[in-house]
Coordinates of all heavy atoms in Angstrom, one line a residue:
M1 N 1.3 4.1 -3.1 CA 0.9 4.5 -4.4 C 0.9 6.0 -4.4 O 1.4 6.5 -5.5 CB -0.6 4.1 -4.4 CG -1.5 4.8 -5.4 SD -1.1 4.1 -7.0 CE -2.4 5.1 -7.9
P2 N 0.7 6.8 -3.4 CA 0.9 8.2 -3.5 C 2.4 8.6 -3.9 O 2.5 9.6 -4.7 CB 0.6 8.8 -2.1 CG -0.4 7.8 -1.7 CD 0.1 6.4 -2.1
A3 N 3.3 8.0 -3.3 CA 4.8 8.3 -3.7 C 5.0 8.0 -5.2 O 5.7 8.8 -5.9 CB 5.6 7.6 -2.8
R4 N 4.5 6.9 -5.7 CA 4.7 6.6 -7.1 C 4.1 7.5 -7.9 O 4.6 8.0 -9.0 CB 4.3 5.1 -7.3 CG 5.4 4.1 -7.0 CD 4.9 2.7 -7.4 NE 4.0 2.2 -6.3 CZ 3.3 1.2 -6.4 NH1 3.1 0.6 -7.5 NH2 2.5 0.7 -5.3
F5 N 2.8 7.9 -7.6 CA 2.1 8.9 -8.5 C 2.8 10.2 -8.4 O 2.9 10.9 -9.4 CB 0.7 9.1 -7.9 CG 0.0 10.1 -8.8 CD1 -0.4 9.9 -10.1 CD2 0.0 11.6 -8.4 CE1 -1.0 10.8 -10.9 CE2 -0.6 12.5 -9.2 CZ -1.0 12.1 -10.5
S6 N 3.2 10.7 -7.2 CA 4.0 11.9 -7.0 C 5.3 11.9 -7.9 O 5.5 12.9 -8.7 CB 4.3 12.1 -5.6 OG 5.0 13.3 -5.4
T7 N 6.0 10.9 -7.9 CA 7.2 10.7 -8.7 C 6.9 10.8 -10.3 O 7.4 11.5 -11.0 CB 7.9 9.5 -8.4 OG1 8.3 9.5 -7.0 CG2 9.2 9.3 -9.4
G8 N 5.8 10.0 -10.6 CA 5.3 10.2 -11.9 C 4.8 11.4 -12.4 O 5.1 11.9 -13.5
S9 N 4.0 12.0 -11.6 CA 3.4 13.4 -12.0 C 4.6 14.4 -12.1 O 4.5 15.3 -12.9 CB 2.3 13.8 -11.0 OG 2.7 14.0 -9.8
S10 N 5.5 14.3 -11.2 CA 6.7 15.2 -11.2 C 7.5 15.0 -12.6 O 7.9 15.9 -13.2 CB 7.6 15.1 -10.1 OG 6.9 15.4 -8.8
A11 N 7.7 13.8 -13.0 CA 8.3 13.5 -14.3 C 7.5 14.0 -15.4 O 8.1 14.7 -16.3 CB 8.5 12.0 -14.3
V12 N 6.3 13.9 -15.4 CA 5.4 14.4 -16.5 C 5.5 16.0 -16.5 O 5.7 16.5 -17.6 CB 3.9 13.9 -16.4 CG1 3.1 14.7 -17.4 CG2 3.8 12.5 -16.7
S13 N 5.6 16.6 -15.3 CA 5.6 18.1 -15.2 C 6.9 18.6 -15.7 O 7.0 19.6 -16.4 CB 5.5 18.5 -13.7 OG 4.2 18.2 -13.3
V14 N 7.9 17.7 -15.5 CA 9.2 18.3 -16.0 C 9.5 17.9 -17.6 O 9.9 18.6 -18.3 CB 10.4 17.7 -15.3 CG1 11.7 17.9 -15.8 CG2 10.4 18.1 -13.8
A15 N 9.2 16.7 -17.9 CA 9.5 16.3 -19.3 C 8.4 16.0 -20.3 O 8.6 16.0 -21.4 CB 10.3 14.9 -19.1
G16 N 7.1 16.1 -19.8 CA 6.0 15.8 -20.6 C 5.6 16.9 -21.5 O 6.2 18.0 -21.4
P17 N 4.7 16.8 -22.4 CA 4.3 17.9 -23.2 C 3.6 18.9 -22.3 O 3.1 18.4 -21.3 CB 3.2 17.1 -24.1 CG 3.4 15.7 -24.0 CD 4.1 15.4 -22.7
R18 N 3.5 20.2 -22.6 CA 3.2 21.1 -21.8 C 1.8 21.1 -21.4 O 1.6 21.2 -20.2 CB 3.3 22.5 -22.5 CG 2.9 23.8 -21.9 CD 3.6 24.1 -20.6 NE 5.0 23.8 -20.5 CZ 5.7 23.4 -19.4 NH1 5.0 23.3 -18.2 NH2 6.9 23.2 -19.3
S19 N 0.8 20.6 -22.2 CA -0.5 20.5 -21.7 C -0.7 19.4 -20.6 O -1.3 19.5 -19.7 CB -1.5 20.0 -22.9 OG -1.1 18.9 -23.6
A20 N 0.1 18.3 -20.9 CA 0.0 17.2 -19.9 C 0.8 17.7 -18.6 O 0.4 17.3 -17.6 CB 0.7 16.0 -20.5
A21 N 1.9 18.3 -18.8 CA 2.6 18.7 -17.7 C 1.9 19.7 -16.7 O 1.8 19.6 -15.5 CB 4.0 19.6 -18.0
N22 N 1.2 20.6 -17.4 CA 0.3 21.5 -16.6 C -0.8 20.7 -15.8 O -1.1 21.0 -14.7 CB -0.3 22.7 -17.4 CG 0.7 23.6 -17.9 OD1 1.8 23.8 -17.4 ND2 0.4 24.3 -19.1
D23 N -1.5 19.7 -16.5 CA -2.6 19.1 -15.8 C -2.0 18.1 -14.8 O -2.6 17.9 -13.8 CB -3.3 18.3 -17.0 CG -4.2 19.1 -17.8 OD1 -4.6 20.2 -17.4 OD2 -4.4 19.0 -19.1
A24 N -0.8 17.5 -15.1 CA -0.3 16.7 -14.0 C 0.0 17.6 -12.8 O -0.2 17.1 -11.7 CB 1.2 16.1 -14.6
A25 N 0.5 18.7 -12.9 CA 0.8 19.6 -11.8 C -0.5 19.9 -11.0 O -0.5 19.9 -9.8 CB 1.5 20.8 -12.2
D26 N -1.5 20.3 -11.7 CA -2.8 20.5 -11.1 C -3.2 19.3 -10.3 O -3.8 19.4 -9.2 CB -3.9 21.1 -12.1 CG -3.6 22.3 -12.8 OD1 -2.9 23.1 -12.2 OD2 -4.2 22.6 -13.7
L27 N -3.2 18.1 -11.0 CA -3.7 16.9 -10.3 C -2.8 16.6 -9.1 O -3.3 16.2 -8.0 CB -3.7 15.7 -11.3 CG -4.1 14.4 -10.7 CD1 -5.5 14.5 -10.1 CD2 -4.0 13.3 -11.9
H28 N -1.5 16.8 -9.2 CA -0.6 16.6 -8.1 C -1.0 17.5 -6.8 O -1.1 16.9 -5.7 CB 0.9 16.8 -8.5 CG 1.8 16.7 -7.4 ND1 2.3 15.5 -7.2 CD2 2.4 17.6 -6.5 CE1 3.2 15.6 -6.1 NE2 3.2 16.9 -5.7
R29 N -1.3 18.8 -7.2 CA -1.8 19.5 -6.1 C -3.0 19.1 -5.4 O -3.2 19.2 -4.1 CB -1.7 21.0 -6.5 CG -0.5 21.7 -6.7 CD -0.6 23.1 -7.0 NE -1.2 23.5 -8.3 CZ -0.5 23.5 -9.4 NH1 0.7 23.3 -9.4 NH2 -1.2 23.7 -10.5
A30 N -4.1 18.7 -6.2 CA -5.3 18.2 -5.8 C -5.2 17.0 -5.0 O -5.8 16.8 -3.8 CB -6.2 18.0 -6.9
M31 N -4.3 16.1 -5.5 CA -4.0 14.8 -4.6 C -3.4 15.0 -3.3 O -3.5 14.5 -2.2 CB -3.3 13.8 -5.5 CG -4.2 13.3 -6.7 SD -3.4 12.1 -7.5 CE -3.6 10.6 -6.4
R32 N -2.4 16.0 -3.3 CA -1.6 16.4 -2.0 C -2.6 17.0 -1.0 O -2.5 16.8 0.1 CB -0.6 17.5 -2.5 CG 0.1 18.0 -1.2 CD 1.2 16.9 -0.8 NE 1.9 17.5 0.2 CZ 2.4 16.8 1.3 NH1 2.1 15.6 1.4 NH2 3.0 17.3 2.2
R33 N -3.7 17.9 -1.5 CA -4.7 18.3 -0.6 C -5.4 17.2 0.2 O -5.8 17.1 1.2 CB -5.7 19.3 -1.3 CG -5.0 20.7 -1.5 CD -6.0 21.7 -2.1 NE -6.5 21.3 -3.3 CZ -5.8 21.8 -4.5 NH1 -4.8 22.4 -4.5 NH2 -6.4 21.5 -5.6
C34 N -5.7 16.2 -0.7 CA -6.4 14.9 -0.1 C -5.6 14.3 0.8 O -6.1 14.0 2.0 CB -6.8 14.0 -1.3 SG -8.2 14.5 -2.2
E35 N -4.4 14.2 0.5 CA -3.5 13.5 1.5 C -3.3 14.2 2.8 O -3.2 13.6 3.9 CB -2.1 13.3 0.8 CG -1.1 12.6 1.6 CD 0.3 12.4 0.9 OE1 0.4 12.8 -0.4 OE2 1.2 11.9 1.5
M36 N -3.1 15.5 2.7 CA -3.0 16.4 3.8 C -4.2 16.3 4.8 O -4.2 16.4 6.0 CB -2.7 17.8 3.5 CG -1.2 17.8 2.9 SD 0.0 17.0 3.8 CE 0.0 17.8 5.4
V37 N -5.6 16.2 4.2 CA -6.6 16.0 5.0 C -6.6 14.7 5.9 O -6.8 14.7 7.0 CB -8.0 16.0 4.2 CG1 -9.2 15.5 4.9 CG2 -8.2 17.4 3.5
V38 N -6.1 13.7 5.1 CA -5.9 12.3 5.8 C -5.0 12.5 7.0 O -5.0 11.9 8.0 CB -5.6 11.2 4.9 CG1 -5.3 10.0 5.6 CG2 -6.8 11.1 3.9
V39 N -3.8 13.2 6.7 CA -2.8 13.3 7.7 C -3.3 14.1 8.8 O -3.1 13.8 10.0 CB -1.5 14.0 7.1 CG1 -0.5 14.5 8.1 CG2 -0.9 13.0 6.1
D40 N -4.0 15.2 8.6 CA -4.6 16.0 9.7 C -5.6 15.1 10.5 O -5.5 15.2 11.8 CB -5.3 17.1 9.1 CG -4.5 18.2 8.6 OD1 -3.2 18.2 8.8 OD2 -5.0 19.2 7.9
W41 N -6.3 14.3 9.9 CA -7.5 13.5 10.5 C -6.7 12.4 11.4 O -7.0 12.2 12.5 CB -8.2 12.7 9.3 CG -9.4 12.0 9.9 CD1 -9.7 11.7 11.2 CD2 -10.4 11.6 9.1 NE1 -10.9 11.1 11.1 CE2 -11.4 11.0 10.0 CE3 -10.6 11.5 7.7 CZ2 -12.6 10.2 9.4 CZ3 -11.8 10.9 7.2 CH2 -12.7 10.3 8.1
A42 N -5.6 11.8 11.0 CA -4.8 10.9 11.7 C -4.2 11.5 12.9 O -4.3 10.9 14.0 CB -3.8 10.2 10.8
R43 N -3.6 12.6 12.7 CA -3.0 13.3 13.8 C -4.0 13.7 14.9 O -3.6 13.6 16.0 CB -2.3 14.6 13.3 CG -1.0 14.4 12.6 CD -0.3 15.6 12.1 NE 1.0 15.3 11.4 CZ 1.5 16.1 10.5 NH1 1.0 17.2 10.4 NH2 2.5 15.7 9.9
A44 N -5.1 14.1 14.5 CA -6.1 14.4 15.4 C -6.6 13.2 16.3 O -6.8 13.3 17.4 CB -7.4 15.1 14.8
A45 N -6.7 12.0 15.5 CA -7.1 10.9 16.2 C -6.2 10.3 17.1 O -6.5 9.9 18.3 CB -7.4 9.8 15.0
I46 N -4.9 10.6 16.8 CA -3.8 10.2 17.7 C -3.8 11.1 18.9 O -3.6 10.6 20.0 CB -2.4 10.1 17.0 CG1 -2.4 9.0 15.9 CG2 -1.2 10.0 18.0 CD1 -1.2 9.1 15.0
R47 N -3.9 12.3 18.6 CA -3.8 13.3 19.7 C -5.0 13.3 20.7 O -4.8 13.3 21.9 CB -3.7 14.7 19.1 CG -3.5 15.8 20.1 CD -3.5 17.3 19.3 NE -4.6 17.4 18.7 CZ -4.6 17.6 17.4 NH1 -3.6 17.5 16.6 NH2 -5.9 17.8 16.6
D48 N -6.2 13.2 20.1 CA -7.4 13.4 20.8 C -8.1 12.2 21.0 O -9.3 12.2 21.6 CB -8.4 14.4 20.1 CG -7.7 15.7 19.9 OD1 -6.8 16.1 20.7 OD2 -8.0 16.5 18.9
G49 N -7.8 11.0 20.6 CA -8.5 9.8 20.6 C -9.5 9.8 19.4 O -9.1 9.9 18.3
V50 N -10.7 9.7 19.7 CA -11.7 9.6 18.6 C -12.0 11.1 18.1 O -12.3 12.0 18.9 CB -13.1 9.1 19.1 CG1 -14.1 9.2 18.1 CG2 -12.9 7.8 19.6
A51 N -11.4 11.2 17.0 CA -11.4 12.6 16.4 C -12.8 13.1 15.8 O -13.8 12.3 15.7 CB -10.5 12.8 15.2
D52 N -12.9 14.3 15.4 CA -14.2 14.8 14.8 C -14.3 14.1 13.5 O -13.9 14.7 12.5 CB -14.0 16.3 14.7 CG -15.2 16.9 14.1 OD1 -16.3 16.3 13.8 OD2 -15.1 18.1 13.5
V53 N -15.0 13.0 13.5 CA -15.1 12.1 12.2 C -15.8 13.0 11.2 O -15.5 13.1 10.0 CB -15.8 10.8 12.5 CG1 -16.0 10.0 11.1 CG2 -14.8 10.0 13.5
D54 N -17.0 13.5 11.5 CA -17.8 14.1 10.6 C -17.1 15.3 9.8 O -17.2 15.5 8.6 CB -19.2 14.6 11.1 CG -20.0 13.4 11.5 OD1 -19.9 12.4 10.9 OD2 -20.9 13.6 12.4
G55 N -16.4 16.1 10.7 CA -15.7 17.3 10.2 C -14.6 16.8 9.2 O -14.4 17.4 8.1
H56 N -13.8 15.8 9.6 CA -12.8 15.3 8.7 C -13.4 14.6 7.5 O -12.9 14.7 6.4 CB -11.8 14.4 9.4 CG -11.0 15.1 10.4 ND1 -9.9 15.9 10.1 CD2 -11.1 15.1 11.7 CE1 -9.3 16.4 11.1 NE2 -10.0 16.1 12.2
R57 N -14.4 13.9 7.6 CA -15.1 13.2 6.6 C -15.6 14.3 5.6 O -15.4 14.0 4.3 CB -16.3 12.3 7.0 CG -16.8 11.5 5.8 CD -18.0 10.6 6.3 NE -17.4 9.6 7.2 CZ -18.0 9.3 8.4 NH1 -19.2 9.9 8.8 NH2 -17.5 8.4 9.1
A58 N -16.1 15.3 6.0 CA -16.7 16.3 5.1 C -15.5 17.0 4.3 O -15.5 17.3 3.2 CB -17.4 17.5 5.9
R59 N -14.4 17.3 5.1 CA -13.2 17.9 4.4 C -12.6 17.0 3.4 O -12.2 17.4 2.2 CB -12.2 18.2 5.4 CG -12.4 19.5 6.2 CD -11.3 19.7 7.2 NE -10.1 20.0 6.5 CZ -8.9 19.5 7.1 NH1 -8.8 19.0 8.3 NH2 -7.7 19.7 6.4
F60 N -12.5 15.6 3.7 CA -12.0 14.7 2.7 C -12.8 14.5 1.5 O -12.5 14.5 0.4 CB -11.9 13.3 3.4 CG -11.3 12.3 2.4 CD1 -9.9 12.4 2.2 CD2 -12.0 11.4 1.8 CE1 -9.3 11.3 1.3 CE2 -11.5 10.5 0.9 CZ -10.1 10.5 0.6
A61 N -14.2 14.5 1.7 CA -15.2 14.4 0.6 C -14.9 15.6 -0.3 O -15.0 15.4 -1.6 CB -16.6 14.3 1.1
S62 N -14.9 16.7 0.3 CA -14.7 18.1 -0.5 C -13.4 18.1 -1.4 O -13.3 18.3 -2.5 CB -14.7 19.3 0.4 OG -14.4 20.3 -0.3
A63 N -12.3 17.5 -0.6 CA -11.0 17.4 -1.4 C -11.2 16.3 -2.5 O -10.5 16.5 -3.6 CB -9.9 17.1 -0.5
A64 N -11.8 15.2 -2.2 CA -11.8 14.2 -3.3 C -12.7 14.7 -4.5 O -12.3 14.5 -5.6 CB -12.5 13.0 -2.6
D65 N -13.7 15.4 -4.1 CA -14.6 16.0 -5.2 C -13.8 16.9 -6.0 O -13.9 16.9 -7.3 CB -15.9 16.6 -4.7 CG -16.9 15.7 -4.2 OD1 -16.8 14.4 -4.5 OD2 -17.7 16.0 -3.5
A66 N -13.0 17.7 -5.3 CA -12.3 18.8 -6.1 C -11.1 18.2 -6.9 O -10.6 18.8 -7.8 CB -11.6 19.7 -5.0
K67 N -10.7 17.0 -6.7 CA -9.6 16.4 -7.6 C -10.2 15.7 -8.9 O -9.4 15.3 -9.8 CB -8.8 15.4 -6.8 CG -9.4 14.1 -6.7 CD -8.4 13.0 -5.9 CE -9.0 11.8 -5.9 NZ -8.1 10.7 -5.4
Q68 N -11.6 15.7 -8.9 CA -12.1 15.0 -10.2 C -11.8 15.6 -11.4 O -11.5 15.1 -12.4 CB -13.6 14.7 -9.9 CG -14.0 13.7 -8.8 CD -13.2 12.5 -8.9 OE1 -13.1 11.7 -10.0 NE2 -12.4 12.1 -7.8
A69 N -12.1 17.0 -11.4 CA -11.8 17.8 -12.7 C -10.3 17.7 -13.1 O -10.0 17.4 -14.2 CB -12.2 19.2 -12.5
P70 N -9.3 17.9 -12.2 CA -7.9 17.8 -12.6 C -7.6 16.4 -13.1 O -6.8 16.2 -14.0 CB -7.2 18.1 -11.3 CG -8.0 18.9 -10.5 CD -9.5 18.5 -10.8
L71 N -8.1 15.4 -12.4 CA -7.9 14.0 -12.9 C -8.3 13.8 -14.3 O -7.6 13.2 -15.1 CB -8.6 13.1 -11.9 CG -8.5 11.5 -12.3 CD1 -7.1 11.0 -12.5 CD2 -9.3 10.7 -11.3
A72 N -9.6 14.2 -14.6 CA -10.2 14.1 -16.0 C -9.2 14.9 -16.9 O -9.1 14.3 -18.1 CB -11.5 14.6 -15.9
A73 N -8.9 16.1 -16.6 CA -8.1 16.9 -17.4 C -6.7 16.2 -17.8 O -6.1 16.2 -19.0 CB -7.9 18.4 -16.9
F74 N -6.1 15.7 -16.7 CA -4.8 15.0 -17.0 C -4.9 13.7 -17.8 O -4.2 13.7 -18.7 CB -4.2 14.6 -15.5 CG -2.9 13.8 -15.7 CD1 -1.8 14.3 -16.1 CD2 -3.0 12.4 -15.4 CE1 -0.7 13.5 -16.3 CE2 -1.9 11.6 -15.5 CZ -0.7 12.1 -16.0
Q75 N -6.0 12.9 -17.5 CA -6.1 11.8 -18.4 C -6.3 12.1 -19.8 O -5.9 11.5 -20.7 CB -7.4 11.0 -17.8 CG -7.1 10.3 -16.4 CD -8.3 9.7 -15.9 OE1 -9.5 10.1 -16.1 NE2 -8.2 8.8 -15.1
R76 N -7.1 13.1 -20.0 CA -7.5 13.7 -21.4 C -6.1 14.1 -22.1 O -5.7 13.7 -23.2 CB -8.4 14.7 -21.3 CG -9.0 15.2 -22.7 CD -10.2 16.2 -22.6 NE -10.1 17.1 -21.5 CZ -10.8 16.9 -20.5 NH1 -11.7 16.0 -20.2 NH2 -10.8 17.9 -19.4
A77 N -5.4 14.9 -21.4 CA -4.0 15.3 -21.9 C -3.0 14.2 -22.1 O -2.3 14.3 -23.2 CB -3.5 16.4 -20.9
A78 N -3.1 13.2 -21.2 CA -2.1 12.1 -21.4 C -2.5 11.3 -22.5 O -1.6 11.0 -23.5 CB -2.1 11.2 -20.1
R79 N -3.9 11.0 -22.8 CA -4.3 10.4 -24.0 C -3.8 11.1 -25.4 O -3.6 10.6 -26.3 CB -5.9 10.1 -24.0 CG -6.1 9.1 -23.0 CD -7.7 8.6 -23.0 NE -8.5 9.7 -22.9 CZ -9.1 10.1 -21.9 NH1 -8.8 9.4 -20.7 NH2 -9.9 11.2 -21.8
E80 N -4.1 12.4 -25.3 CA -3.7 13.2 -26.4 C -2.3 13.2 -26.8 O -1.8 13.1 -27.8 CB -4.2 14.7 -26.3 CG -5.7 14.9 -26.3 CD -6.2 16.3 -25.9 OE1 -5.3 17.2 -25.7 OE2 -7.4 16.5 -25.9
A81 N -1.4 13.3 -25.7 CA 0.0 13.2 -25.8 C 0.5 11.8 -26.3 O 1.4 11.8 -27.1 CB 0.7 13.5 -24.5
L82 N -0.3 10.8 -26.0 CA 0.1 9.4 -26.5 C -0.5 9.0 -27.7 O -0.2 8.1 -28.2 CB -0.3 8.4 -25.3 CG 0.4 8.5 -24.0 CD1 -0.2 7.8 -22.9 CD2 1.9 8.2 -24.2
G83 N -1.4 10.0 -28.2 CA -2.1 9.8 -29.5 C -3.1 8.6 -29.3 O -3.5 8.0 -30.3
T84 N -3.7 8.4 -28.2 CA -4.7 7.5 -28.0 C -6.1 8.0 -27.9 O -7.0 7.3 -27.4 CB -4.3 6.5 -26.8 OG1 -4.3 7.3 -25.6 CG2 -3.0 5.8 -27.0
E85 N -6.2 9.4 -27.9 CA -7.6 10.0 -27.6 C -8.4 9.6 -28.9 O -8.1 9.9 -30.1 CB -7.4 11.5 -27.6 CG -8.7 12.3 -27.3 CD -9.2 12.0 -25.9 OE1 -8.3 11.5 -25.1 OE2 -10.3 12.1 -25.7
H86 N -9.5 9.1 -28.7 CA -10.4 8.7 -29.9 C -11.6 9.7 -30.0 O -12.1 10.2 -29.2 CB -11.0 7.5 -29.6 CG -10.0 6.3 -29.4 ND1 -9.3 5.7 -30.5 CD2 -9.4 5.6 -28.3 CE1 -8.4 4.8 -30.0 NE2 -8.6 4.8 -28.7

């Protein structure tokens, strides 16, 4: 799923209407931050065994919360670009 979204958001960033493209780029960066928290967590677990679950969980929750505004902005811009905003 992340790879498909990344490809889709990149396509919107290049070819989409400017408002949707900007919002797609913002959402892409927010989702990438979430992905990198998970990667860091997995690497720590592999390296150290049981990793600092609470610390990683807090970082992931923060990153997940931070992507909500870009997600809503992208969805709004996409609906406007598609003419489906009511």
Side-chain angles (χ1 to χ4, degrees):
M1 168 79 172
R4 280 186 273 165
F5 178 79
S6 181
T7 301
S9 66
S10 293
V12 171
S13 293
V14 171
R18 179 59 37 212
S19 62
N22 291 339
D23 290 329
D26 291 344
L27 179 56
H28 179 84
R29 283 188 293 275
M31 292 186 73
R32 180 75 175 139
R33 282 190 293 274
C34 283
E35 182 180 355
M36 292 313 300
V37 169
V38 172
V39 168
D40 290 345
W41 192 346
R43 285 180 180 157
I46 290 167
R47 181 184 62 243
D48 304 328
V50 176
D52 175 18
V53 174
D54 291 334
H56 288 286
R57 184 179 293 137
R59 285 182 56 215
F60 182 78
S62 177
D65 288 345
K67 79 175 185 174
Q68 295 309 308
L71 175 59
F74 172 73
Q75 290 172 336
R76 190 172 33 261
R79 287 191 303 270
E80 288 172 5
L82 294 170
T84 59
E85 184 70 21
H86 301 281

